[in-house]
Every structure is written in C-alpha cells, then in structure tokens.
Amino acid sequence: MNAVVLGLETYPAVMALFGPQLLMLDQVLLGIFVVELLLRLVAQGQRFVRDPWNLFDTAVIALALLPAAGAFSVLRSLRVLRVLRLISAFPSLRRVISGIVAALPGIGSIGAILIILYYVFAVMATKLFAVSAPQWFGSLEASLFSLFQIMTLEGWADMTRELAQTQALAIPFMVIFILVATFTVLNLFISVMLDAMQRVNADPGHATPDSQTAALDRLTDEVKRMKAQLDEIARPPKGT
C-alpha cells in the first residue's frame, strides 16, 4: 500500500485531488512501520542488531523520519526506499540478495579486470581514431564513453561502419573489444552470480521455514514407511 501511495504522489492530477489524503495515509503507514520495528526490537532483544535485515529496515525507516524541509528537502524523494522493505519480507528475495552479497568478492575481481581492459582499449582507440572521429574518440574521456556505449551494444554497428570508411582497423578493433568486454568478461559476472546463488541455496543456514517444513514432512513420511515395513517383517506368519 505504501508503494502504491508513493507512486500516486508522482501524478500531479492525483495530488491535486487527493494530495492531503495521500500525505496523511503515507504518515499513517510510516507510523505502522515504526511501531512494527519497535515491537521487533522488544521481541528479539540483542538478536535484533545481529540480523542484517533488521539493520536494513532500521536504516530505511530512519531515512523516512528525517525532516523533508529546507536543506533536507532532497531527502523527501528517499521515502521511496521504504518499498525496499519488501525484499526483507520475502525469504526468496532475501536469498537473492544474499547471493549478490556472497558474489561481491568475485565481482570485484572481475570488475577490476574489466576496468583495466576498458582503459587499455580507450587509450588505443584515442590514439587510433582521434583524428578520424573526434566526436567519439577525440579525448580519453570521449573514448571511455564511446566504448561504454559500444560495450552495451547500443549503435555500435553504425559507429563502426562510419569509422571504417577512413580507418581499416575500425572493424577488427570493435569486434575484438566486444568479444573481450561484452561476451567474455560480462558473462563472467553471470557465472559468478550463479555460483553464489547455488552456494546460498545449498547452505542450510539460508533454508526458509517453508523448505524446512517440507523436508521435515518428507522425513516423517519416510520414517512411517520404514516402520510399516518393520512391522510387516515382525508380524508372525498366518497359521502359527
């Protein structure tokens, strides 16, 4: 409901008709969030600060409680961060975030490799194409931006064809850059993320209550079947 209210506040026509009501509802929902957070603090005690999701919710609510007037008026837009509490409310979303956090070391290493390659190609592009295409590669900064655009595969073909009219190295340079930066290094990010997701899902500490209940039910059924088989074996034969 809070997410819907924050979305409706972006429509001037809606605010002209229901502005005070929406602002009042937003404050009521914020009050509910604060009460819920305080009750959780009382119920969990010291365990509250050991749960990173509790700290996440506290930070989001604290940002919403900051004054939204004067120098802090820009913070009013940060109220939308309350929608992120949906992540902590659903175990499946929490597992995804846990996987992303677990993948950060590997992502950092791959990111460092990507930055080095990106810088090397930008220097080469500036030296090779600065005269022929100053609008794209006239400086190191322009080359960095142009290569970033090419890395996203946005308009790279048109840029390459135009540059190839005066530079024979344009096509092989762009193809090699895309193969290295886009198809190789960026796909490494995906592989690291998938590996981290698998490790998080395989970790019993990240098991959800629903998955634990299902596993317990399966174990109970298996024990019942084994007991029935043992009873059948121990039952005396008929006629004895």
Side-chain angles (χ1 to χ4, degrees):
M1 184 181 295
N2 197 194
V4 173
V5 170
L6 293 173
L8 290 175
E9 290 181 5
T10 62
Y11 293 92
V14 176
M15 289 298 294
L17 295 175
F18 306 104
Q21 293 85 348
L22 290 176
L23 294 177
M24 178 63 67
L25 181 57
D26 180 75
Q27 293 301 313
V28 171
L29 293 172
L30 178 59
I32 294 174
F33 290 154
V34 173
V35 172
E36 184 266 342
L37 200 62
L38 292 176
L39 291 175
R40 199 191 308 174
L41 176 60
V42 173
Q44 298 181 1
Q46 294 182 353
R47 292 185 293 112
F48 181 88
V49 297
R50 291 197 295 266
D51 188 346
W53 291 107
N54 288 335
L55 301 180
F56 172 78
D57 289 344
T58 302
V60 171
I61 298 302
L63 286 174
L65 292 174
L66 292 176
F72 296 96
S73 59
V74 68
L75 298 177
R76 183 174 179 82
S77 61
L78 297 180
R79 293 181 307 146
V80 73
L81 294 178
R82 274 178 274 168
V83 181
L84 295 177
R85 295 192 71 234
L86 287 172
I87 297 176
S88 62
F90 294 96
S92 59
L93 299 182
R94 293 170 64 169
R95 286 199 303 272
V96 173
I97 298 300
S98 299
I100 294 175
V101 173
L104 287 179
I107 290 178
S109 300
I110 297 174
I113 295 174
L114 180 60
I115 291 175
I116 294 172
L117 293 175
Y118 187 51
Y119 178 78
V120 169
F121 275 96
V123 172
M124 293 174 60
T126 304
K127 293 183 176 295
L128 291 174
F129 311 129
V131 177
S132 301
Q135 71 277 22
W136 294 325
F137 305 103
S139 64
L140 181 61
E141 294 80 5
S143 297
L144 288 170
F145 181 79
S146 298
L147 290 180
F148 181 81
Q149 176 184 344
I150 294 171
M151 185 173 62
T152 63
L153 302 181
E154 173 63 30
W156 75 274
D158 296 334
M159 184 186 301
T160 303
R161 288 192 180 96
E162 183 174 343
L163 189 59
Q165 295 178 1
T166 56
Q167 291 288 341
L169 295 176
I171 293 178
F173 178 88
M174 297 303 177
V175 170
I176 293 174
F177 174 74
I178 290 174
L179 288 176
V180 172
T182 303
F183 294 149
T184 302
V185 178
L186 290 184
N187 282 328
L188 288 176
F189 281 101
I190 300 176
S191 63
V192 170
M193 291 294 298
L194 289 176
D195 179 68
M197 292 292 181
Q198 291 175 353
R199 285 188 280 109
V200 168
N201 290 328
D203 186 359
H206 289 87
T208 64
D210 292 339
S211 62
Q212 292 175 352
T213 301
L216 182 59
D217 291 340
R218 290 193 299 269
L219 181 60
T220 302
D221 293 339
E222 185 67 23
V223 171
K224 288 180 179 179
R225 286 194 296 269
M226 293 176 62
K227 184 178 182 299
Q229 293 174 358
L230 291 174
D231 292 342
E232 184 68 24
I233 295 174
R235 186 180 296 119
K238 292 182 180 181
T240 60

